[in-house]
Amino acid sequence: MASLSYGSIAWLPTAIPFLAMRGKSSWLQGVVAMIYAEKKTIAHTLLFAGLLVLSLNYVLYWVLGFEALRMPVRVSAIAMFALSLAFNFKALRFDILYIPMLGLATLSFLLHGTDALNMLAVLLFVLAASPYSLEVLLADLLKCFAVALLLYLASIALGRAAIVTHTYGGRTRNYLGFSHVNAAALFFLPLLLLLAMKFKRKKVLFCFVVLSFVVLYALTNTRSVLFAVGAFLLGYALFVAMGKAKALTHFRGVFGLIVLYALLGAAFTLSLFAGTNIDVALSYRPTLFHEAIASFTPLDWLFGSSAFKEVDNSFIVIVGHYGLIFLAFAVAVLHKSILRCAKTGDAWSYAFILSIVATGSLESFLYRPELIGTLAFWIIVFGYARPNVPIDSRNEATHV
């Protein structure tokens, strides 16, 4: 049981006379309630701390070059998530598909070491986050993004990171201070989360987010950022349009599933176009996909490999690290989430899922815990977040 801080027991002297009037039973109930509330607050604080160190870790190694801190910080975040779910154990919720995914991620970690630690961190976060509302979790994620953004801007201002531009293959790309241009683009994906927040001027916000992605593309020449916002807007628009045409409402789920399985199929068939003009247009991804898939042994297909060399496709990378069985369970969860969003009329979550899956077909980030967009994606996919439940009776969700 968690030890109580002075602040949590300072109320006792003034409360004792009142509680005595209510009788010993009421007094004990009050103490138990305060202890329970304290444990829930500690659990949320640990969850937020884990999120914060992960988001800062992304800037630390991609901008400041502290590669040596990458794994220790990641392990510390996992420890915080584990403690958070321990403090809030009775409130945890999970889908039946979560159990084999956690088991397989753990097995991959035992077989392949720290190379397979990423998805384990993501899954522990998802479980620790399950008692909280989506509104609270998105607010936490955006706070962490804001802090990471401040660290990034401070690094630029203090000259610790240089804004450099490279030209190769006819493309001029600004790295924006990151060691890899795609890392810079993916860092700003959480801007899509703003569209889920309750702002009054929604149209202005939409324009701001779209403009931000256009500017980001103009600077980095990373096509996946345009793909991300384009897929989001298209998914959102089609969802709303099908809702207005009552006869087409039930096609929302069908359309989402077609997109999911088309992208999944493309991941493993694009390798057929290696050496063609399509290969060149896609920055030689088909060739890289072909090399990655050809390197898989039968055991690699089942449980992944520690020798896997990553490529720019999240589906192939998940197989490379965790195996085809893990991917099958992940796709099953995605399948359920798309149908759930279609059934409940959740346009934003529907569009966000399709957008991130589409972007993940061009980048390998659906398993990277340092990315705010990745963590937001999986809590939405698993759908554990409650409608809008306060963290405890004192509404301490706002204290972080």
Side-chain angles (χ1 to χ4, degrees):
M1 182 177 291
S3 59
L4 299 180
S5 63
Y6 172 77
S8 66
I9 62 174
W11 55 275
L12 285 173
T14 56
I16 287 175
F18 173 75
L19 292 172
M21 295 175 62
R22 301 284 302 272
K24 291 183 178 180
S25 177
S26 297
W27 186 83
L28 289 173
Q29 289 176 359
V31 172
V32 171
M34 288 301 298
I35 293 174
Y36 182 63
E38 182 75 10
K39 289 177 67 176
K40 294 182 76 175
T41 302
I42 293 172
H44 182 245
T45 302
L46 286 167
L47 178 69
F48 183 83
L51 288 174
L52 184 60
V53 298
L54 279 177
S55 57
L56 293 177
N57 199 26
Y58 192 80
V59 178
L60 288 175
Y61 70 77
W62 281 116
V63 178
L64 297 175
F66 293 135
E67 181 65 28
L69 293 176
R70 184 174 184 176
M71 196 55 63
V73 172
R74 188 176 292 170
V75 171
S76 69
I78 290 175
M80 292 178 196
F81 294 152
L83 286 172
S84 176
L85 62 87
F87 274 108
N88 217 5
F89 186 76
K90 291 184 178 179
L92 301 179
R93 301 181 300 154
F94 53 86
D95 188 282
I96 189 64
L97 294 173
Y98 176 88
I99 300 174
M101 288 182 69
L102 182 63
L104 288 167
T106 304
L107 177 62
S108 294
F109 169 62
L110 296 175
L111 291 174
H112 312 312
T114 54
D115 286 340
L117 194 60
N118 290 13
M119 203 65 204
L120 188 59
V122 171
L123 290 173
L124 287 175
F125 161 72
V126 167
L127 185 59
S130 63
Y132 308 108
S133 72
L134 184 59
E135 185 177 6
V136 167
L137 292 172
L138 291 183
D140 285 346
L141 289 168
L142 285 170
K143 288 173 189 174
C144 292
F145 173 65
V147 175
L149 183 61
L150 287 175
L151 177 61
Y152 163 70
L153 293 175
S155 302
I156 299 296
L158 296 174
R160 294 299 302 273
I163 303 294
V164 296
T165 300
H166 294 281
T167 300
Y168 50 89
R171 300 171 68 186
T172 300
R173 312 186 73 181
N174 192 322
Y175 281 50
L176 300 179
F178 288 78
S179 58
H180 194 288
V181 67
N182 288 355
L186 292 174
F187 177 70
F188 292 97
L189 267 183
L191 289 173
L192 286 176
L193 300 182
L194 291 173
L195 301 180
M197 307 307 288
K198 295 180 179 179
F199 292 109
K200 291 182 179 179
R201 298 183 178 181
K202 207 71 172 180
K203 292 182 180 179
V204 174
L205 184 63
F206 259 85
C207 292
F208 166 75
V209 171
V210 173
L211 182 61
S212 298
F213 276 85
V214 171
V215 171
L216 188 61
Y217 168 72
L219 291 172
T220 65
N221 203 337
T222 302
R223 288 166 291 198
S224 55
V225 298
L226 281 187
F227 199 43
V229 72
F232 179 89
L233 294 175
L234 179 61
Y236 193 94
L238 287 174
F239 191 94
V240 173
M242 285 187 282
K244 290 182 177 180
K246 300 297 182 182
L248 298 177
T249 301
H250 63 284
F251 283 108
R252 289 167 166 174
V254 174
F255 174 78
L257 294 180
I258 289 174
V259 172
L260 170 63
Y261 290 108
L263 292 171
L264 179 63
F268 294 95
T269 57
L270 273 178
S271 59
L272 299 174
F273 296 95
T276 67
N277 291 333
I278 295 176
D279 193 17
V280 177
L282 294 176
S283 303
Y284 299 99
R285 281 179 171 85
T287 293
L288 296 174
F289 293 177
H290 174 76
E291 293 174 354
I293 294 171
S295 70
F296 290 157
T297 66
L299 195 60
D300 294 342
W301 279 106
L302 288 176
F303 302 114
S305 168
S306 58
F308 173 70
K309 185 178 180 180
E310 294 185 2
V311 295
D312 286 336
N313 184 282
S314 293
F315 294 122
I316 295 177
V317 169
I318 287 175
V319 173
H321 283 304
Y322 307 100
L324 194 60
I325 301 174
F326 183 93
L327 179 64
F329 283 113
V331 171
V333 174
L334 283 166
H335 183 114
K336 290 179 62 176
S337 68
I338 290 171
L339 293 181
R340 183 185 66 249
C341 292
K343 183 178 180 180
T344 58
D346 188 349
W348 180 83
S349 294
Y350 177 90
F352 184 77
I353 290 172
L354 293 185
S355 171
I356 298 301
V357 169
T359 310
S361 67
L362 297 175
E363 306 289 349
S364 58
F365 72 95
L366 290 186
Y367 73 111
R368 298 188 186 278
E370 281 82 7
L371 279 168
I372 296 297
T374 298
L375 298 177
F377 172 75
W378 285 108
I379 59 173
I380 293 166
V381 165
F382 276 99
Y384 297 156
R386 298 179 176 181
N388 192 13
V389 183
I391 288 179
D392 61 30
S393 58
R394 293 177 292 169
N395 289 321
E396 291 185 290
T398 60
H399 84 289
V400 180

